């Protein structure tokens, strides 16, 4: 019986996770998967309960599970805490603890939602991008990091470090993914000003030699940010370091229409972790307004990558498409002529569509 660790987290995390578990239970019934769910604490809720953003018990639960379903962490309540004990640090430490070095963030435009994008229909129609983000290296983790007092005032430092090994393994993920798609990899860096980017570019070029059927292009991150909104259809797989991948995948959310639609899978050598790209959205938390589709689509990735059940994954994705096609929308993607519904109602409708098949 596959065990799923469920880490709802903070803010809208528990709201979207609840709807996702609802959908996964229907998928389990329809495809005879016998899933077992066990909840754990992460982030602000874990700080409140245990004093740590990542309790040992949560690490144990994640390591012994077949997959992890995660909501989001953070919020104003914990903003005054210092970096090592902030909610977000719990997530960063969990990613590192599980060696989740590859973050896959697909951004595919739904036919029913083309007009939900702030970009013109002609620009976004047919866009289908996979951002492959390096997740456990770079500037989010490098030492030294911190703020120190100096006679002239405070001084802050972040350190960006990448090794050949780290770049090689993420580049392999990108090229492998491209083989199953349109066979193009855009590698993003700032090789004109950053040493880590210079290394990045050289290693990606070397990895590319083993994939002659895949076209490789290099693009500076600032140009990529511009090209993503100018002509998103030029991209197939984008591979980027931790920081650039973070920024560019949020930008890709606007091509699809809302950050509430973007799922992600974090994969490494052990248990995979599945989470919506968005954060805890404190501005709408507790109001039954959040879009649960990014979390539900993350569950589809969980079925595909961790449980190796493509049929169940496709069924969940089709159920989402069906509900959108029927005109149901949460507030972030609502438009004139569509039916605005709550988080819970969206979860119910997807679960019903999935059950009907
Ligand atoms: P955010 O993604 O939480 O919210 C950005 C905007 O998008 C907000 O206006 C929010 O209402 C909206 N939004 C986000 N998800 C939505 C959804 N599912 N449905 C509808 N609208 C949605 O980013 P933020 O405001 O920069 O950060 C808020 C908190 O979340 C911070 O504490 C931040 O550190 C944390 N955060 C956590 C994660 C994570 O847990 N993986 C990721 C990003 C930010």
């Amino acid at each position: 019986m596959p065990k799923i660790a469920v880490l709802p987290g903070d803010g809208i995390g528990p709201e979207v996770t609840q709807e996702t578990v609802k959908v996964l239970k229907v998928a389990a019934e329809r495809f005879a998967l016998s899933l077992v769910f066990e909840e754990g604490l992460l982030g602000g809720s874990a700080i409140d309960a245990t004093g740590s953003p990542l309790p040992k018990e949560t690490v144990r639960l994640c390591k012994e599970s077949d997959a992890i379903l995660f909501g989001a962490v953070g919020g104003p309540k914990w903003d005054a805490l210092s970096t090592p004990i902030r909610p977000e640090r719990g997530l960063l430490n969990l990613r590192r603890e599980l060696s989740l070095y590859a973050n896959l963030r697909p951004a595919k435009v739904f036919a029913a939602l083309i007009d939900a994008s702030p970009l013109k229909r002609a620009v976004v129609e047919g866009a289908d991008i996979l951002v492959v983000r390096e997740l456990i290296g770079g500037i989010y983790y490098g030492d030294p990091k911190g703020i120190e007092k100096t006679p002239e005032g405070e001084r802050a430092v972040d350190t960006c470090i990448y090794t050949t090994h780290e770049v090689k393994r993420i580049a392999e993920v990108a090229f492998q993914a491209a083989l199953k798609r349109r066979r193009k990899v855009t590698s993003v860096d700032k090789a004109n000003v950053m040493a880590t980017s210079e290394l990045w570019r050289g290693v990606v070029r070397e990895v590319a030699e083993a994939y002659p059927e895949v076209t490789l292009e290099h693009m500076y991150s600032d140009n990529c940010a511009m090209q993503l909104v100018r002509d998103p259809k030029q991209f197939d797989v984008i591979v980027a370091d931790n920081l650039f991948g973070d920024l560019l995948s949020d930008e890709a959310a606007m091509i699809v229409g809302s950050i509430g639609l973007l799922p992600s899978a974090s994969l490494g050598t052990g248990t995979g972790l599945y989470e919506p790209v968005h954060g805890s959205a404190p501005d709408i938390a507790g109001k039954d307004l959040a879009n649960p589709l990014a979390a539900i689509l993350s569950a589809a990735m969980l079925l595909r990558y961790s449980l190796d059940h493509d049929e169940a994954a496709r069924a969940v994705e089709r159920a989402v498409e069906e509900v959108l096609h029927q005109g149901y929308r949460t507030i972030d993607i609502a438009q004139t002529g569509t039916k605005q519904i709550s988080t819970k109602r969206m979860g119910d409708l997807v679960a019903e569509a999935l059950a009907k098949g």
Side-chain angles (χ1 to χ4, degrees), residues 47-82:
I47 294 172
D48 290 350
T50 70
S52 160
L54 177 61
K56 282 196 177 68
E57 184 55 28
T58 300
V59 176
R60 186 200 54 76
L61 168 67
C62 290
K63 284 189 173 166
E64 70 181 28
S65 297
D66 295 279
I68 305 157
L69 187 67
F70 163 60
V73 290
K77 184 177 175 190
W78 305 281
D79 275 352
L81 295 173
S82 68

PDB file of all heavy atoms in Angstrom, residues 47-82:
ATOM      1  N   ILE A  47       6.474  25.258  13.668  1.00  0.00           N
ATOM      2  CA  ILE A  47       7.143  26.133  14.652  1.00  0.00           C
ATOM      3  C   ILE A  47       6.222  26.314  15.861  1.00  0.00           C
ATOM      4  O   ILE A  47       6.640  26.196  17.016  1.00  0.00           O
ATOM      5  CB  ILE A  47       7.482  27.509  14.024  1.00  0.00           C
ATOM      6  CG1 ILE A  47       8.525  27.348  12.921  1.00  0.00           C
ATOM      7  CG2 ILE A  47       7.968  28.491  15.088  1.00  0.00           C
ATOM      8  CD1 ILE A  47       8.783  28.599  12.106  1.00  0.00           C
ATOM      9  N   ASP A  48       4.946  26.584  15.587  1.00  0.00           N
ATOM     10  CA  ASP A  48       3.991  26.792  16.685  1.00  0.00           C
ATOM     11  C   ASP A  48       3.866  25.542  17.563  1.00  0.00           C
ATOM     12  O   ASP A  48       3.780  25.627  18.776  1.00  0.00           O
ATOM     13  CB  ASP A  48       2.599  27.145  16.125  1.00  0.00           C
ATOM     14  CG  ASP A  48       2.589  28.531  15.499  1.00  0.00           C
ATOM     15  OD1 ASP A  48       3.591  29.264  15.679  1.00  0.00           O
ATOM     16  OD2 ASP A  48       1.593  28.887  14.836  1.00  0.00           O
ATOM     17  N   ALA A  49       3.878  24.375  16.935  1.00  0.00           N
ATOM     18  CA  ALA A  49       3.649  23.139  17.695  1.00  0.00           C
ATOM     19  C   ALA A  49       4.917  22.594  18.347  1.00  0.00           C
ATOM     20  O   ALA A  49       4.859  22.022  19.432  1.00  0.00           O
ATOM     21  CB  ALA A  49       3.047  22.077  16.775  1.00  0.00           C
ATOM     22  N   THR A  50       6.083  22.796  17.689  1.00  0.00           N
ATOM     23  CA  THR A  50       7.299  22.121  18.183  1.00  0.00           C
ATOM     24  C   THR A  50       8.497  23.048  18.371  1.00  0.00           C
ATOM     25  O   THR A  50       9.519  22.621  18.902  1.00  0.00           O
ATOM     26  CB  THR A  50       7.747  21.019  17.189  1.00  0.00           C
ATOM     27  OG1 THR A  50       8.242  21.664  16.002  1.00  0.00           O
ATOM     28  CG2 THR A  50       6.614  20.088  16.801  1.00  0.00           C
ATOM     29  N   GLY A  51       8.415  24.275  17.852  1.00  0.00           N
ATOM     30  CA  GLY A  51       9.550  25.202  17.923  1.00  0.00           C
ATOM     31  C   GLY A  51      10.492  25.069  16.734  1.00  0.00           C
ATOM     32  O   GLY A  51      11.393  25.872  16.562  1.00  0.00           O
ATOM     33  N   SER A  52      10.294  24.053  15.891  1.00  0.00           N
ATOM     34  CA  SER A  52      11.165  23.863  14.725  1.00  0.00           C
ATOM     35  C   SER A  52      10.320  23.873  13.441  1.00  0.00           C
ATOM     36  O   SER A  52       9.239  23.290  13.403  1.00  0.00           O
ATOM     37  CB  SER A  52      11.880  22.509  14.842  1.00  0.00           C
ATOM     38  OG  SER A  52      12.336  22.101  13.575  1.00  0.00           O
ATOM     39  N   PRO A  53      10.836  24.509  12.350  1.00  0.00           N
ATOM     40  CA  PRO A  53      10.060  24.495  11.096  1.00  0.00           C
ATOM     41  C   PRO A  53      10.083  23.124  10.405  1.00  0.00           C
ATOM     42  O   PRO A  53       9.259  22.854   9.532  1.00  0.00           O
ATOM     43  CB  PRO A  53      10.753  25.549  10.243  1.00  0.00           C
ATOM     44  CG  PRO A  53      12.132  25.677  10.788  1.00  0.00           C
ATOM     45  CD  PRO A  53      12.055  25.339  12.244  1.00  0.00           C
ATOM     46  N   LEU A  54      11.044  22.280  10.797  1.00  0.00           N
ATOM     47  CA  LEU A  54      11.120  20.926  10.222  1.00  0.00           C
ATOM     48  C   LEU A  54      11.389  19.918  11.346  1.00  0.00           C
ATOM     49  O   LEU A  54      12.551  19.538  11.596  1.00  0.00           O
ATOM     50  CB  LEU A  54      12.217  20.853   9.147  1.00  0.00           C
ATOM     51  CG  LEU A  54      12.453  19.474   8.512  1.00  0.00           C
ATOM     52  CD1 LEU A  54      11.207  18.973   7.795  1.00  0.00           C
ATOM     53  CD2 LEU A  54      13.640  19.531   7.545  1.00  0.00           C
ATOM     54  N   PRO A  55      10.342  19.458  12.042  1.00  0.00           N
ATOM     55  CA  PRO A  55      10.559  18.502  13.135  1.00  0.00           C
ATOM     56  C   PRO A  55      11.139  17.186  12.610  1.00  0.00           C
ATOM     57  O   PRO A  55      10.864  16.785  11.471  1.00  0.00           O
ATOM     58  CB  PRO A  55       9.141  18.275  13.687  1.00  0.00           C
ATOM     59  CG  PRO A  55       8.317  19.401  13.152  1.00  0.00           C
ATOM     60  CD  PRO A  55       8.941  19.840  11.872  1.00  0.00           C
ATOM     61  N   LYS A  56      11.928  16.535  13.455  1.00  0.00           N
ATOM     62  CA  LYS A  56      12.553  15.248  13.082  1.00  0.00           C
ATOM     63  C   LYS A  56      11.507  14.236  12.651  1.00  0.00           C
ATOM     64  O   LYS A  56      11.712  13.436  11.744  1.00  0.00           O
ATOM     65  CB  LYS A  56      13.327  14.680  14.286  1.00  0.00           C
ATOM     66  CG  LYS A  56      14.653  15.351  14.500  1.00  0.00           C
ATOM     67  CD  LYS A  56      15.520  14.498  15.431  1.00  0.00           C
ATOM     68  CE  LYS A  56      16.893  15.084  15.621  1.00  0.00           C
ATOM     69  NZ  LYS A  56      16.923  16.351  16.361  1.00  0.00           N
ATOM     70  N   GLU A  57      10.363  14.286  13.335  1.00  0.00           N
ATOM     71  CA  GLU A  57       9.268  13.360  13.043  1.00  0.00           C
ATOM     72  C   GLU A  57       8.801  13.492  11.579  1.00  0.00           C
ATOM     73  O   GLU A  57       8.486  12.501  10.910  1.00  0.00           O
ATOM     74  CB  GLU A  57       8.111  13.666  14.014  1.00  0.00           C
ATOM     75  CG  GLU A  57       6.910  12.764  13.934  1.00  0.00           C
ATOM     76  CD  GLU A  57       7.258  11.295  14.098  1.00  0.00           C
ATOM     77  OE1 GLU A  57       8.264  10.955  14.772  1.00  0.00           O
ATOM     78  OE2 GLU A  57       6.514  10.487  13.519  1.00  0.00           O
ATOM     79  N   THR A  58       8.802  14.736  11.086  1.00  0.00           N
ATOM     80  CA  THR A  58       8.382  14.977   9.694  1.00  0.00           C
ATOM     81  C   THR A  58       9.405  14.380   8.719  1.00  0.00           C
ATOM     82  O   THR A  58       9.034  13.775   7.710  1.00  0.00           O
ATOM     83  CB  THR A  58       8.222  16.496   9.444  1.00  0.00           C
ATOM     84  OG1 THR A  58       7.234  16.987  10.344  1.00  0.00           O
ATOM     85  CG2 THR A  58       7.803  16.791   8.020  1.00  0.00           C
ATOM     86  N   VAL A  59      10.674  14.540   9.039  1.00  0.00           N
ATOM     87  CA  VAL A  59      11.724  13.977   8.173  1.00  0.00           C
ATOM     88  C   VAL A  59      11.571  12.458   8.121  1.00  0.00           C
ATOM     89  O   VAL A  59      11.626  11.846   7.040  1.00  0.00           O
ATOM     90  CB  VAL A  59      13.133  14.369   8.681  1.00  0.00           C
ATOM     91  CG1 VAL A  59      14.208  13.715   7.843  1.00  0.00           C
ATOM     92  CG2 VAL A  59      13.299  15.876   8.693  1.00  0.00           C
ATOM     93  N   ARG A  60      11.337  11.854   9.298  1.00  0.00           N
ATOM     94  CA  ARG A  60      11.170  10.397   9.358  1.00  0.00           C
ATOM     95  C   ARG A  60       9.980   9.965   8.494  1.00  0.00           C
ATOM     96  O   ARG A  60      10.076   9.064   7.666  1.00  0.00           O
ATOM     97  CB  ARG A  60      10.960   9.955  10.819  1.00  0.00           C
ATOM     98  CG  ARG A  60      10.920   8.434  11.022  1.00  0.00           C
ATOM     99  CD  ARG A  60      10.260   8.017  12.324  1.00  0.00           C
ATOM    100  NE  ARG A  60       8.936   8.556  12.530  1.00  0.00           N
ATOM    101  CZ  ARG A  60       7.829   8.136  11.923  1.00  0.00           C
ATOM    102  NH1 ARG A  60       7.888   7.172  11.048  1.00  0.00           N
ATOM    103  NH2 ARG A  60       6.671   8.714  12.176  1.00  0.00           N
ATOM    104  N   LEU A  61       8.845  10.663   8.684  1.00  0.00           N
ATOM    105  CA  LEU A  61       7.632  10.340   7.918  1.00  0.00           C
ATOM    106  C   LEU A  61       7.914  10.421   6.407  1.00  0.00           C
ATOM    107  O   LEU A  61       7.519   9.532   5.644  1.00  0.00           O
ATOM    108  CB  LEU A  61       6.506  11.317   8.313  1.00  0.00           C
ATOM    109  CG  LEU A  61       5.268  11.317   7.421  1.00  0.00           C
ATOM    110  CD1 LEU A  61       4.504   9.987   7.534  1.00  0.00           C
ATOM    111  CD2 LEU A  61       4.330  12.475   7.785  1.00  0.00           C
ATOM    112  N   CYS A  62       8.587  11.506   5.987  1.00  0.00           N
ATOM    113  CA  CYS A  62       8.842  11.694   4.554  1.00  0.00           C
ATOM    114  C   CYS A  62       9.742  10.580   4.011  1.00  0.00           C
ATOM    115  O   CYS A  62       9.511  10.063   2.909  1.00  0.00           O
ATOM    116  CB  CYS A  62       9.494  13.054   4.316  1.00  0.00           C
ATOM    117  SG  CYS A  62       8.353  14.409   4.613  1.00  0.00           S
ATOM    118  N   LYS A  63      10.770  10.224   4.774  1.00  0.00           N
ATOM    119  CA  LYS A  63      11.715   9.211   4.286  1.00  0.00           C
ATOM    120  C   LYS A  63      11.074   7.845   4.155  1.00  0.00           C
ATOM    121  O   LYS A  63      11.453   7.046   3.305  1.00  0.00           O
ATOM    122  CB  LYS A  63      12.942   9.160   5.209  1.00  0.00           C
ATOM    123  CG  LYS A  63      13.866  10.331   4.972  1.00  0.00           C
ATOM    124  CD  LYS A  63      15.169  10.198   5.709  1.00  0.00           C
ATOM    125  CE  LYS A  63      16.122  11.320   5.282  1.00  0.00           C
ATOM    126  NZ  LYS A  63      17.260  11.461   6.157  1.00  0.00           N
ATOM    127  N   GLU A  64      10.102   7.551   5.033  1.00  0.00           N
ATOM    128  CA  GLU A  64       9.504   6.213   4.965  1.00  0.00           C
ATOM    129  C   GLU A  64       8.269   6.179   4.037  1.00  0.00           C
ATOM    130  O   GLU A  64       7.637   5.136   3.887  1.00  0.00           O
ATOM    131  CB  GLU A  64       9.131   5.720   6.377  1.00  0.00           C
ATOM    132  CG  GLU A  64       7.961   6.476   6.972  1.00  0.00           C
ATOM    133  CD  GLU A  64       7.594   6.032   8.382  1.00  0.00           C
ATOM    134  OE1 GLU A  64       8.476   5.557   9.111  1.00  0.00           O
ATOM    135  OE2 GLU A  64       6.414   6.193   8.720  1.00  0.00           O
ATOM    136  N   SER A  65       7.922   7.328   3.416  1.00  0.00           N
ATOM    137  CA  SER A  65       6.753   7.371   2.533  1.00  0.00           C
ATOM    138  C   SER A  65       7.161   7.155   1.075  1.00  0.00           C
ATOM    139  O   SER A  65       8.325   7.313   0.715  1.00  0.00           O
ATOM    140  CB  SER A  65       6.039   8.716   2.680  1.00  0.00           C
ATOM    141  OG  SER A  65       5.559   8.863   3.991  1.00  0.00           O
ATOM    142  N   ASP A  66       6.171   6.863   0.240  1.00  0.00           N
ATOM    143  CA  ASP A  66       6.435   6.666  -1.186  1.00  0.00           C
ATOM    144  C   ASP A  66       6.400   7.990  -1.949  1.00  0.00           C
ATOM    145  O   ASP A  66       6.949   8.100  -3.046  1.00  0.00           O
ATOM    146  CB  ASP A  66       5.408   5.705  -1.779  1.00  0.00           C
ATOM    147  CG  ASP A  66       5.562   4.327  -1.168  1.00  0.00           C
ATOM    148  OD1 ASP A  66       6.448   3.592  -1.609  1.00  0.00           O
ATOM    149  OD2 ASP A  66       4.827   4.010  -0.194  1.00  0.00           O
ATOM    150  N   ALA A  67       5.686   8.971  -1.375  1.00  0.00           N
ATOM    151  CA  ALA A  67       5.614  10.293  -1.999  1.00  0.00           C
ATOM    152  C   ALA A  67       5.151  11.294  -0.950  1.00  0.00           C
ATOM    153  O   ALA A  67       4.551  10.904   0.053  1.00  0.00           O
ATOM    154  CB  ALA A  67       4.637  10.284  -3.174  1.00  0.00           C
ATOM    155  N   ILE A  68       5.450  12.577  -1.222  1.00  0.00           N
ATOM    156  CA  ILE A  68       5.053  13.632  -0.279  1.00  0.00           C
ATOM    157  C   ILE A  68       4.171  14.642  -1.007  1.00  0.00           C
ATOM    158  O   ILE A  68       4.532  15.119  -2.097  1.00  0.00           O
ATOM    159  CB  ILE A  68       6.294  14.377   0.275  1.00  0.00           C
ATOM    160  CG1 ILE A  68       7.270  13.376   0.892  1.00  0.00           C
ATOM    161  CG2 ILE A  68       5.886  15.442   1.293  1.00  0.00           C
ATOM    162  CD1 ILE A  68       8.698  13.877   0.949  1.00  0.00           C
ATOM    163  N   LEU A  69       3.045  14.944  -0.382  1.00  0.00           N
ATOM    164  CA  LEU A  69       2.150  15.968  -0.911  1.00  0.00           C
ATOM    165  C   LEU A  69       2.263  17.159   0.023  1.00  0.00           C
ATOM    166  O   LEU A  69       1.987  17.042   1.222  1.00  0.00           O
ATOM    167  CB  LEU A  69       0.715  15.426  -0.906  1.00  0.00           C
ATOM    168  CG  LEU A  69      -0.327  16.293  -1.564  1.00  0.00           C
ATOM    169  CD1 LEU A  69      -0.078  16.364  -3.057  1.00  0.00           C
ATOM    170  CD2 LEU A  69      -1.716  15.713  -1.295  1.00  0.00           C
ATOM    171  N   PHE A  70       2.683  18.298  -0.524  1.00  0.00           N
ATOM    172  CA  PHE A  70       2.941  19.465   0.322  1.00  0.00           C
ATOM    173  C   PHE A  70       2.107  20.654  -0.155  1.00  0.00           C
ATOM    174  O   PHE A  70       1.895  20.835  -1.354  1.00  0.00           O
ATOM    175  CB  PHE A  70       4.452  19.769   0.270  1.00  0.00           C
ATOM    176  CG  PHE A  70       4.816  21.136   0.739  1.00  0.00           C
ATOM    177  CD1 PHE A  70       4.526  21.548   2.037  1.00  0.00           C
ATOM    178  CD2 PHE A  70       5.448  22.035  -0.109  1.00  0.00           C
ATOM    179  CE1 PHE A  70       4.849  22.825   2.471  1.00  0.00           C
ATOM    180  CE2 PHE A  70       5.786  23.301   0.318  1.00  0.00           C
ATOM    181  CZ  PHE A  70       5.476  23.696   1.600  1.00  0.00           C
ATOM    182  N   GLY A  71       1.629  21.471   0.809  1.00  0.00           N
ATOM    183  CA  GLY A  71       0.820  22.651   0.465  1.00  0.00           C
ATOM    184  C   GLY A  71       1.694  23.881   0.263  1.00  0.00           C
ATOM    185  O   GLY A  71       2.206  24.123  -0.828  1.00  0.00           O
ATOM    186  N   ALA A  72       1.898  24.653   1.315  1.00  0.00           N
ATOM    187  CA  ALA A  72       2.746  25.852   1.246  1.00  0.00           C
ATOM    188  C   ALA A  72       3.083  26.261   2.669  1.00  0.00           C
ATOM    189  O   ALA A  72       2.363  25.897   3.598  1.00  0.00           O
ATOM    190  CB  ALA A  72       2.013  26.991   0.544  1.00  0.00           C
ATOM    191  N   VAL A  73       4.177  27.015   2.820  1.00  0.00           N
ATOM    192  CA  VAL A  73       4.541  27.486   4.163  1.00  0.00           C
ATOM    193  C   VAL A  73       4.778  28.993   4.171  1.00  0.00           C
ATOM    194  O   VAL A  73       4.992  29.601   3.123  1.00  0.00           O
ATOM    195  CB  VAL A  73       5.825  26.802   4.704  1.00  0.00           C
ATOM    196  CG1 VAL A  73       5.587  25.345   5.038  1.00  0.00           C
ATOM    197  CG2 VAL A  73       6.986  26.984   3.735  1.00  0.00           C
ATOM    198  N   GLY A  74       4.736  29.552   5.370  1.00  0.00           N
ATOM    199  CA  GLY A  74       5.061  30.968   5.553  1.00  0.00           C
ATOM    200  C   GLY A  74       3.848  31.814   5.854  1.00  0.00           C
ATOM    201  O   GLY A  74       2.711  31.363   5.733  1.00  0.00           O
ATOM    202  N   GLY A  75       4.142  33.054   6.277  1.00  0.00           N
ATOM    203  CA  GLY A  75       3.062  33.991   6.573  1.00  0.00           C
ATOM    204  C   GLY A  75       3.551  35.074   7.511  1.00  0.00           C
ATOM    205  O   GLY A  75       4.596  34.924   8.154  1.00  0.00           O
ATOM    206  N   PRO A  76       2.797  36.172   7.606  1.00  0.00           N
ATOM    207  CA  PRO A  76       3.237  37.324   8.392  1.00  0.00           C
ATOM    208  C   PRO A  76       3.508  36.991   9.854  1.00  0.00           C
ATOM    209  O   PRO A  76       4.388  37.593  10.471  1.00  0.00           O
ATOM    210  CB  PRO A  76       2.071  38.314   8.280  1.00  0.00           C
ATOM    211  CG  PRO A  76       1.058  37.720   7.393  1.00  0.00           C
ATOM    212  CD  PRO A  76       1.512  36.382   6.929  1.00  0.00           C
ATOM    213  N   LYS A  77       2.796  36.001  10.405  1.00  0.00           N
ATOM    214  CA  LYS A  77       2.973  35.636  11.808  1.00  0.00           C
ATOM    215  C   LYS A  77       4.424  35.270  12.130  1.00  0.00           C
ATOM    216  O   LYS A  77       4.892  35.472  13.243  1.00  0.00           O
ATOM    217  CB  LYS A  77       2.054  34.442  12.098  1.00  0.00           C
ATOM    218  CG  LYS A  77       2.041  34.002  13.535  1.00  0.00           C
ATOM    219  CD  LYS A  77       1.064  32.865  13.749  1.00  0.00           C
ATOM    220  CE  LYS A  77       1.175  32.362  15.178  1.00  0.00           C
ATOM    221  NZ  LYS A  77       0.443  31.126  15.381  1.00  0.00           N
ATOM    222  N   TRP A  78       5.123  34.713  11.143  1.00  0.00           N
ATOM    223  CA  TRP A  78       6.487  34.240  11.394  1.00  0.00           C
ATOM    224  C   TRP A  78       7.557  35.100  10.706  1.00  0.00           C
ATOM    225  O   TRP A  78       8.728  34.757  10.692  1.00  0.00           O
ATOM    226  CB  TRP A  78       6.618  32.782  10.930  1.00  0.00           C
ATOM    227  CG  TRP A  78       5.593  31.898  11.554  1.00  0.00           C
ATOM    228  CD1 TRP A  78       5.627  31.378  12.817  1.00  0.00           C
ATOM    229  CD2 TRP A  78       4.369  31.448  10.963  1.00  0.00           C
ATOM    230  NE1 TRP A  78       4.496  30.635  13.046  1.00  0.00           N
ATOM    231  CE2 TRP A  78       3.705  30.655  11.928  1.00  0.00           C
ATOM    232  CE3 TRP A  78       3.753  31.645   9.736  1.00  0.00           C
ATOM    233  CZ2 TRP A  78       2.464  30.058  11.684  1.00  0.00           C
ATOM    234  CZ3 TRP A  78       2.522  31.057   9.480  1.00  0.00           C
ATOM    235  CH2 TRP A  78       1.901  30.274  10.454  1.00  0.00           C
ATOM    236  N   ASP A  79       7.132  36.222  10.098  1.00  0.00           N
ATOM    237  CA  ASP A  79       8.071  37.035   9.312  1.00  0.00           C
ATOM    238  C   ASP A  79       9.195  37.651  10.133  1.00  0.00           C
ATOM    239  O   ASP A  79      10.281  37.917   9.612  1.00  0.00           O
ATOM    240  CB  ASP A  79       7.329  38.160   8.557  1.00  0.00           C
ATOM    241  CG  ASP A  79       6.772  37.649   7.232  1.00  0.00           C
ATOM    242  OD1 ASP A  79       7.094  36.504   6.860  1.00  0.00           O
ATOM    243  OD2 ASP A  79       6.002  38.389   6.586  1.00  0.00           O
ATOM    244  N   ALA A  80       8.957  37.859  11.430  1.00  0.00           N
ATOM    245  CA  ALA A  80       9.974  38.519  12.257  1.00  0.00           C
ATOM    246  C   ALA A  80      11.058  37.539  12.722  1.00  0.00           C
ATOM    247  O   ALA A  80      12.088  37.964  13.254  1.00  0.00           O
ATOM    248  CB  ALA A  80       9.307  39.173  13.465  1.00  0.00           C
ATOM    249  N   LEU A  81      10.850  36.246  12.512  1.00  0.00           N
ATOM    250  CA  LEU A  81      11.842  35.254  12.962  1.00  0.00           C
ATOM    251  C   LEU A  81      13.112  35.362  12.112  1.00  0.00           C
ATOM    252  O   LEU A  81      13.061  35.769  10.951  1.00  0.00           O
ATOM    253  CB  LEU A  81      11.270  33.829  12.822  1.00  0.00           C
ATOM    254  CG  LEU A  81      10.072  33.490  13.720  1.00  0.00           C
ATOM    255  CD1 LEU A  81       9.527  32.112  13.347  1.00  0.00           C
ATOM    256  CD2 LEU A  81      10.483  33.510  15.189  1.00  0.00           C
ATOM    257  N   SER A  82      14.248  34.952  12.694  1.00  0.00           N
ATOM    258  CA  SER A  82      15.490  35.025  11.922  1.00  0.00           C
ATOM    259  C   SER A  82      15.531  33.871  10.920  1.00  0.00           C
ATOM    260  O   SER A  82      14.869  32.841  11.100  1.00  0.00           O
ATOM    261  CB  SER A  82      16.699  34.966  12.859  1.00  0.00           C
ATOM    262  OG  SER A  82      16.759  33.692  13.437  1.00  0.00           O
TER     263      SER A  82
END
